[in-house]
Amino acid sequence: MTVTTMTGAASGGQIKWSEIDWTKVNQAVRRLQVRIAKAVREGRWGKVKALQWLLTHSLHGKALAVKRVTENRGKNTPGVDRIIWDRPGKCVRGMLSLTRRGYQPQPLRRVYIPKANGKLRPLGIPTMKDRAMQALHLLALLPIAETTADPNSYGFRPKRGSRDAAEQCYKVLRLSGSADWVLDADIAGCFDNISHDWLVANIPMDKVILRKWLESGYMQDSELFATEAGTPQGGIISPTLANMTLDGMERILRDRYGPRRPNRQRSKVHLIRYADDFVITGRSQDQLEEAKAMVEDFLRDRGLTLSDEKTKIVHIEEGFDFLGWNVRKYGGKLLIGPARKNVQTFLRKVRAIVKDAIGVKQEIMIARLNPVIRGWANYHRNQVAAQTFREVDAQIWRCLWRWACRRHPNKSRGWVKDRYFAREGTRDWVFRATVCDDAGNNTVVRLMRATDVSIRRHRKIRAEANPFDPAWDSYFAEKRTLPKDRQDRSAKASNSTRRSALAALVTQSFVEA
């Protein structure tokens, strides 16, 4: 890579992008973030503001922000100016351009992506400079968001994910005395409807910069449209802004119901939230109707409402879908496994890949399918999914068998099997191909199966854990290095207790092709 040099007035010297010490940069930013989180815990908001200013004006923060937007998956997707930062020189110039004085964000480039229900989701794509500016201010906002966040919020937060939310569902619903009713809720157009006035008044960051982002508008078909509400999906800082808008929902429920009611009954009201998708558990329908009214009042102040289409109260024996899993009790045993819709969507995607590859080579087919199968199986590997994996593998085999037979209508079935499938040890019908590289070496590539992914119980993050609090550093270090065999043993023990009800789950979550 060519070393590009840029003279920076802010640094008083030359900056070489390829020679930046990223370890030093990360350490410097981390120190400031830890100090911000500490000031928040102590309630010293003047100190918080001063530290945020220091971080957003530091070269270390600017360099890390540019690094993020030039290395993520959207690095080659331009905004309305059609500019991308794909060279060291552009990265350096972009870093030095991140100044507050004279900054004016450009409109977003509006595109639409399909949703699971067939509708289209609007996506706003900022320019590279606006993305970097958002990433810079996110570095200063994230320690505050993590310190003040709801304990059981798991979406778009560092060190947390959907599997933590699923494990929390299991934790609060698994016992015979746990809640029997669940409010399965979803916010209607959360990102598109958040009140701008509420955001500016309540988000602890540079108000001038925030309002400029919110009011930058978007371009569609070469026409400029104003944005009067919402934070654009596609912006780097938008998920954190949405999370901070919804933080406090768990607190109002806890204040209302508490750990115990006056009649000494243990409270069964728990909230588990992943971004704008959340569930609330309760003892009865009436209790959840009351909780729903409280949540609606909470959202109304922020310009939001619950979706009538997706919000419902269900009994745990009926079950509900949450983040692609079905959560349901079968004869008193709680099982969480791949939801029917999720399995159907996955198989439709596989069939579409196979259908579009009628004329491609076998190894290309394998290269297209393996990432899809691996990603889907890894997502579900922490739940009760072994039987579903086997059924999915059977469906994929049928799809590939039909594909192979269509390619050779004049050949016998035995010839087709020998051409595309092989026996490896005790496993038959292995879909594989031999690839010859430039050096003349032959390599065998195989189609992976969902059952190749072992089921492993997930160890949920502790609700109060904060990655910006040094007191939790040892906890996160230990969590990262949890021995694999310990997790596998936990998975085997858990699966053995659930096996009796597994057939019912498969019937619920899987549909034959």
Side-chain angles (χ1 to χ4, degrees), residues 329-469:
K329 273 188 176 179
Y330 296 86
K333 178 72 67 176
L334 182 71
L335 297 179
I336 304 178
R340 175 189 300 180
K341 290 182 180 179
N342 185 273
V343 176
Q344 291 175 330
T345 300
F346 167 70
L347 288 176
R348 280 197 297 268
K349 185 174 183 179
V350 169
R351 293 180 185 119
I353 293 174
V354 174
K355 182 178 180 180
D356 293 340
I358 188 63
V360 305
K361 296 182 179 179
Q362 189 173 355
E363 56 267 27
I364 298 178
M365 171 77 80
I366 293 173
R368 292 179 182 178
L369 287 176
N370 274 353
V372 176
I373 298 172
R374 183 182 297 107
W376 181 84
N378 281 333
Y379 183 78
H380 294 290
R381 70 179 303 173
N382 304 113
Q383 312 306 329
V384 185
Q387 181 63 28
T388 304
F389 283 179
R390 287 192 286 270
E391 295 290 346
V392 162
D393 284 339
Q395 288 289 342
I396 294 175
W397 174 84
R398 294 188 185 99
C399 188
L400 291 174
W401 176 248
R402 290 193 295 266
W403 173 82
C405 291
R406 283 199 307 269
R407 288 167 65 93
H408 306 282
N410 298 323
K411 297 291 185 180
S412 68
R413 295 298 182 260
W415 185 95
V416 173
K417 178 182 183 300
D418 293 338
R419 171 66 176 80
Y420 292 98
F421 300 89
R423 173 181 288 275
E424 294 183 353
T426 59
R427 175 178 287 187
D428 200 2
W429 295 94
V430 176
F431 190 75
R432 71 178 192 181
T434 301
V435 180
C436 182
D437 58 22
D438 295 336
N441 300 319
N442 291 331
T443 303
V444 177
V445 292
R446 302 170 181 82
L447 180 75
M448 77 164 295
R449 301 186 184 187
T451 48
D452 293 337
V453 177
S454 60
I455 303 298
R456 183 186 303 176
R457 281 295 303 277
H458 175 66
R459 183 188 180 195
K460 191 187 84 69
I461 189 172
R462 291 178 61 177
E464 64 274 17
N466 185 346
F468 298 104
D469 185 351

Side-chain angles (χ1 to χ4, degrees), residues 190-215:
C190 178
F191 283 84
D192 299 326
N193 296 312
I194 301 176
S195 168
H196 284 179
D197 291 337
W198 190 95
L199 286 171
V200 173
N202 293 276
I203 300 299
M205 64 169 290
D206 190 315
K207 309 295 185 182
V208 175
I209 296 293
L210 176 59
R211 188 170 287 280
K212 285 182 178 180
W213 285 335
L214 297 176
E215 298 176 354

Side-chain angles (χ1 to χ4, degrees), residues 182-245:
V182 176
L183 170 65
D184 181 15
D186 185 83
I187 300 173
C190 178
F191 283 84
D192 299 326
N193 296 312
I194 301 176
S195 168
H196 284 179
D197 291 337
W198 190 95
L199 286 171
V200 173
N202 293 276
I203 300 299
M205 64 169 290
D206 190 315
K207 309 295 185 182
V208 175
I209 296 293
L210 176 59
R211 188 170 287 280
K212 285 182 178 180
W213 285 335
L214 297 176
E215 298 176 354
S216 62
Y218 64 91
M219 295 290 295
Q220 181 175 333
D221 298 328
S222 301
E223 185 177 354
L224 178 63
F225 294 87
T227 49
E228 299 177 354
T231 176
Q233 297 188 58
I236 289 177
I237 203 171
S238 294
T240 300
L241 294 179
N243 266 335
M244 297 186 75
T245 302

Side-chain angles (χ1 to χ4, degrees), residues 36-155:
I36 292 172
K38 180 182 178 182
V40 173
R41 291 194 299 273
E42 296 172 351
R44 302 169 62 190
W45 290 100
K47 182 75 169 179
V48 170
K49 186 175 181 179
L51 290 170
Q52 284 185 302
W53 182 276
L54 185 60
L55 178 51
T56 55
H57 287 72
S58 69
L59 278 178
H60 289 135
K62 295 176 181 179
L64 198 59
V66 173
K67 186 174 189 290
R68 172 174 179 176
V69 302
T70 56
E71 293 184 357
N72 60 16
R73 290 190 300 176
K75 62 183 179 181
N76 294 321
T77 304
V80 293
D81 59 359
R82 299 295 175 178
I83 295 175
I84 58 174
W85 295 347
D86 55 352
R87 296 180 183 177
K90 293 181 179 180
C91 294
V92 172
R93 288 190 291 273
M95 180 180 70
L96 297 177
S97 71
L98 301 182
T99 58
R100 184 178 188 274
R101 178 177 297 177
Y103 171 69
Q104 182 61 48
Q106 297 189 55
L108 306 170
R109 182 164 69 90
R110 174 63 64 91
V111 297
Y112 292 90
I113 58 176
K115 298 171 64 174
N117 58 7
K119 298 181 181 179
L120 295 177
R121 183 192 307 277
L123 191 68
I125 303 176
T127 64
M128 292 296 292
K129 180 176 179 178
D130 293 337
R131 271 178 260 178
M133 201 70 171
Q134 289 188 20
L136 175 61
H137 283 267
L138 179 60
L139 291 174
L141 181 62
L142 202 53
I144 305 175
E146 285 299 301
T147 305
T148 60
D150 284 344
N152 290 296
S153 165
Y154 300 99

